[in-house]
Amino acid sequence: MLTAGHVTRHDVSLFYEGIFLRTVTTFEGLMEDLFVGLLAGGITPGPKVHPRVTFQSHSVARDVMLGGRAYVDWLPYHFTDKRADAFFRGGYPFCNLNKNDKKELERILLIRNAVAHQSRSARRKFEDEIIGAAPLLKVERTPAGYLRSVFRAAPIQTRYEEIASTCAMLARKLCG
């Protein structure tokens, strides 16, 4: 559609940024739903999962988890680790993510911040820690351009698709 002139490059950039943000917020929502579901008994826990406290209601479990706040941060993941240690023995299943998994989430968070905040600080971190010295075209050195760029040539996969695949793999680790 872009090459045929039916949409502009700006439209495509907005699409990639939007679908990327939806992917990240969906992953964060999965973590929250899993957390509350395990506390309220709506999700059957695996053999290693032992909530320190259970609730008869999802809304009560959510209220306690929120601790009077309107929302909780799931990323950076150390917030999730700390919360999981408080509510689940051994932090299971949230401790199922290893250092490399958490590093991937940090990378995703840096991209998310560059898209969502567009501040000088977020942009600098994106350029320093994501782009770095990568051999990318100028158009690929922006958050949207980076998400559109080719991650793998055979089979062809964009960096956005690689990130979405990573989120799916991490979800399986948490829920498995």
Side-chain angles (χ1 to χ4, degrees):
M1 292 179 77
L2 176 63
T3 55
H6 297 294
V7 296
T8 66
R9 183 173 302 279
H10 181 71
D11 293 336
V12 173
S13 293
L14 290 175
F15 168 78
Y16 269 92
E17 289 177 347
I19 196 149
F20 169 74
L21 289 175
R22 176 60 60 103
T23 299
V24 175
T25 57
T26 298
F27 181 75
E28 289 173 310
L30 172 129
M31 288 192 292
E32 184 166 319
D33 290 345
L34 177 62
F35 201 96
V36 172
L38 289 168
L39 292 176
I43 296 174
T44 305
K48 292 183 177 181
V49 178
H50 302 285
R52 295 180 189 276
V53 62
T54 57
F55 301 92
Q56 298 299 312
S57 156
H58 277 76
S59 63
V60 172
R62 187 174 311 284
D63 287 347
V64 170
M65 178 200 66
L66 291 172
R69 296 181 60 202
Y71 65 92
V72 296
D73 292 311
W74 296 99
L75 297 174
Y77 200 77
H78 64 84
F79 291 134
T80 301
D81 277 335
K82 188 174 180 180
R83 189 173 303 108
D85 285 340
F87 282 89
F88 298 95
R89 275 192 272 157
Y92 285 100
F94 298 93
C95 69
N96 287 343
L97 302 188
N98 62 38
K99 284 183 182 181
N100 289 333
D101 298 331
K102 293 173 187 178
K103 187 172 181 164
E104 280 298 300
L105 284 173
E106 291 300 318
R107 179 178 72 98
I108 291 167
L109 182 63
L110 286 170
I111 299 166
R112 186 202 66 189
N113 289 346
V115 171
H117 303 297
Q118 299 181 359
S119 68
R120 195 174 295 161
S121 172
R123 181 60 186 228
R124 189 175 315 114
K125 287 179 183 178
F126 171 78
E127 290 170 356
D128 292 347
E129 298 180 40
I130 302 299
I131 300 298
L136 297 170
L137 300 172
K138 183 178 179 182
V139 71
E140 296 172 340
R141 299 180 80 77
T142 65
Y146 178 80
L147 293 167
R148 285 184 58 214
S149 67
V150 174
F151 169 73
R152 181 186 358 252
I156 194 159
Q157 185 180 32
T158 64
R159 293 186 194 276
Y160 163 73
E161 291 170 313
E162 180 265 332
I163 289 168
S165 177
T166 296
C167 287
M169 179 270 301
L170 295 174
R172 283 190 296 276
K173 279 188 163 187
L174 290 171
C175 296

